[in-house]
Amino acid sequence: MAEKQAISNYLKRVSPGSIGGRCEKSLIDDRAALILRTSSQGISQVGDHVEASYLVRVDDTKINRRLEELGCGAQSGAVDVVMLIMEEPPSQADISMILNGADASGTRKLRGLGPFVVFYSSYQRAIRDSIIAGANKEGLKLTRLDTLPEFERMKMSDDDPMVGVYFDTDSEEFAINHRLLKSVENKFSQKETIILYYRISSLYFDQVTRKLKATIAISLHDINAGETKSVGSQDFMVIVAPGQPGMAIRDGLSEVASNAATLLMNEARIEALRMASKAQNKAMKSGSGTSVVKLQLKSKRNMYRVKTTLSSKTVTSAKIENNYLVITLAKGISVDDFVFGELLGTLDKMGIKIVDENIKLSIGNNLITE
């Protein structure tokens, strides 16, 4: 009982829309694989009753990943929460690629910002990929702008990772792609959107000690709520062996930056889950979110036939995914009205009868099976 309650309590915090539905039941049924340890804290006799308390440690990484697989993650439910990954411009003052005369001790100085500028987009991709990998392990989905066709024309170069920052060779400054930011605002401001910003707080290479050190900072910004939360910074250091070619510095910079970002994601994912859960609760209370209904029939052909009959006035999108027809309702359309007023009528006309036991409707989890 304590283990079941621990799973439910965790879901109330990170995915409130899954409470009372198939996702909660699935996790409770699979709890043996999701609980790290259960230890008794005390047992006492109170009259005719026995009171017992337990400390249950759950594997939150596995739970979040399982929620995502079931389609009940923190980013889905009463409303779809979009998470973008973008960059805040670094400060040249904090990026030291030149040693002063006293420290250099006769070694050849690097010119300007050296390989950092030349390979800047490589570091951006390394940091971005590390953050995305860390987020995916926690069941979070980060959207890359360079994968969206409508942003393709806003690239500053062929290898631009489109995180909002680039190095302007004319002004020799780190610049913000304002055109891209404006387009992001126009596209995502009407959705529940959280932007995960990373920033290269400092970067240092000592040619004498060969120490290469990077510090990465991460913050999250909820566009709709106007809330920004910093999760701090993290540094990482490596030593580049003497005699190594300049490419070793480039690779070392990618390594320290990406490793610092990976370590920082341990804190960032907690804040990301909190913000997503807060958005879900807000949507459920205000009724401003869109609802999703999943239909599972024995025939995919029949699911496709249902898809083609749905009204555009009640449904914004419908697609077949993982043996389900996933139907997203328009804002203001209640699940009850859609299911009993439209969907079941369509199925009846097709000769498909759904028994009441196979109609499971709950907040964020609406499943109908043949």
Side-chain angles (χ1 to χ4, degrees), residues 155-203:
K155 280 190 172 185
M156 302 305 296
S157 62
D158 291 339
D159 60 351
D160 181 7
M162 299 192 74
V163 288
V165 173
Y166 66 99
F167 186 79
D168 189 329
T169 55
D170 294 330
S171 64
E172 296 188 351
E173 294 283 349
F174 296 104
I176 297 174
N177 187 339
H178 291 285
R179 184 183 174 205
L180 176 62
L181 294 188
K182 185 66 176 177
S183 296
V184 168
E185 181 180 341
N186 291 337
K187 180 177 176 62
F188 295 102
S189 61
Q190 301 303 314
K191 302 180 180 181
E192 288 292 342
T193 304
I194 297 170
I195 300 179
L196 189 152
Y197 284 106
Y198 73 85
R199 178 169 58 88
I200 302 175
S201 294
S202 66
L203 187 68

Side-chain angles (χ1 to χ4, degrees), residues 299-340:
S299 166
K300 287 186 178 180
R301 290 186 177 90
N302 283 339
M303 286 195 289
Y304 182 78
R305 287 174 60 195
V306 172
K307 174 183 174 180
T308 60
T309 64
L310 296 174
S311 170
S312 60
K313 294 181 180 180
T314 56
V315 173
T316 58
S317 69
K319 52 186 176 181
I320 298 176
E321 292 182 346
N322 299 324
N323 297 320
Y324 293 97
L325 175 60
V326 182
I327 306 166
T328 302
L329 305 185
K331 287 187 177 181
I333 302 298
S334 74
V335 173
D336 289 353
D337 289 344
F338 170 74
V339 171
F340 295 104

Side-chain angles (χ1 to χ4, degrees), residues 12-147:
K12 288 177 183 177
R13 181 165 63 86
V14 302
S15 183
S18 64
I19 297 299
R22 62 181 180 84
C23 290
E24 181 184 24
K25 182 181 183 303
S26 177
L27 291 180
I28 288 176
D29 290 344
D30 296 339
R31 63 186 180 277
L34 305 175
I35 290 175
L36 296 173
R37 183 168 64 256
T38 301
S39 55
S40 175
Q41 299 296 290
I43 300 177
S44 59
Q45 183 83 28
V46 182
D48 295 332
H49 304 280
V50 173
E51 291 185 357
S53 61
Y54 293 86
L55 178 64
V56 181
R57 298 187 183 278
V58 300
D59 190 328
D60 55 346
T61 298
K62 285 185 178 179
I63 292 177
N64 292 326
R65 192 180 305 131
R66 181 69 177 138
L67 281 171
E68 187 61 36
E69 291 171 354
L70 292 169
C72 309
Q75 290 173 254
S76 58
V79 65
D80 288 332
V81 180
V82 178
M83 288 190 184
L84 306 177
I85 180 168
M86 301 191 74
E87 179 183 3
E88 292 181 323
S91 168
Q92 286 196 16
D94 294 327
I95 298 176
S96 177
M97 299 300 288
I98 304 178
L99 299 178
N100 62 44
D103 291 336
S105 302
T107 59
R108 185 173 62 84
K109 297 179 182 180
L110 295 170
R111 296 177 57 194
L113 291 176
F116 180 76
V117 170
V118 177
F119 300 110
Y120 184 49
S121 60
S122 298
Y123 312 135
Q124 288 179 308
R125 286 194 296 274
I127 296 170
R128 178 200 65 190
D129 292 346
S130 294
I131 291 175
I132 289 176
N136 289 345
K137 289 179 181 178
E138 307 301 335
L140 297 172
K141 295 183 294 184
L142 296 185
T143 298
R144 284 173 41 182
L145 296 177
D146 62 331
T147 64

Side-chain angles (χ1 to χ4, degrees), residues 333-352:
I333 302 298
S334 74
V335 173
D336 289 353
D337 289 344
F338 170 74
V339 171
F340 295 104
E342 179 179 347
L343 183 59
L344 293 181
T346 299
L347 293 174
D348 285 342
K349 292 177 182 178
M350 294 172 56
I352 300 173

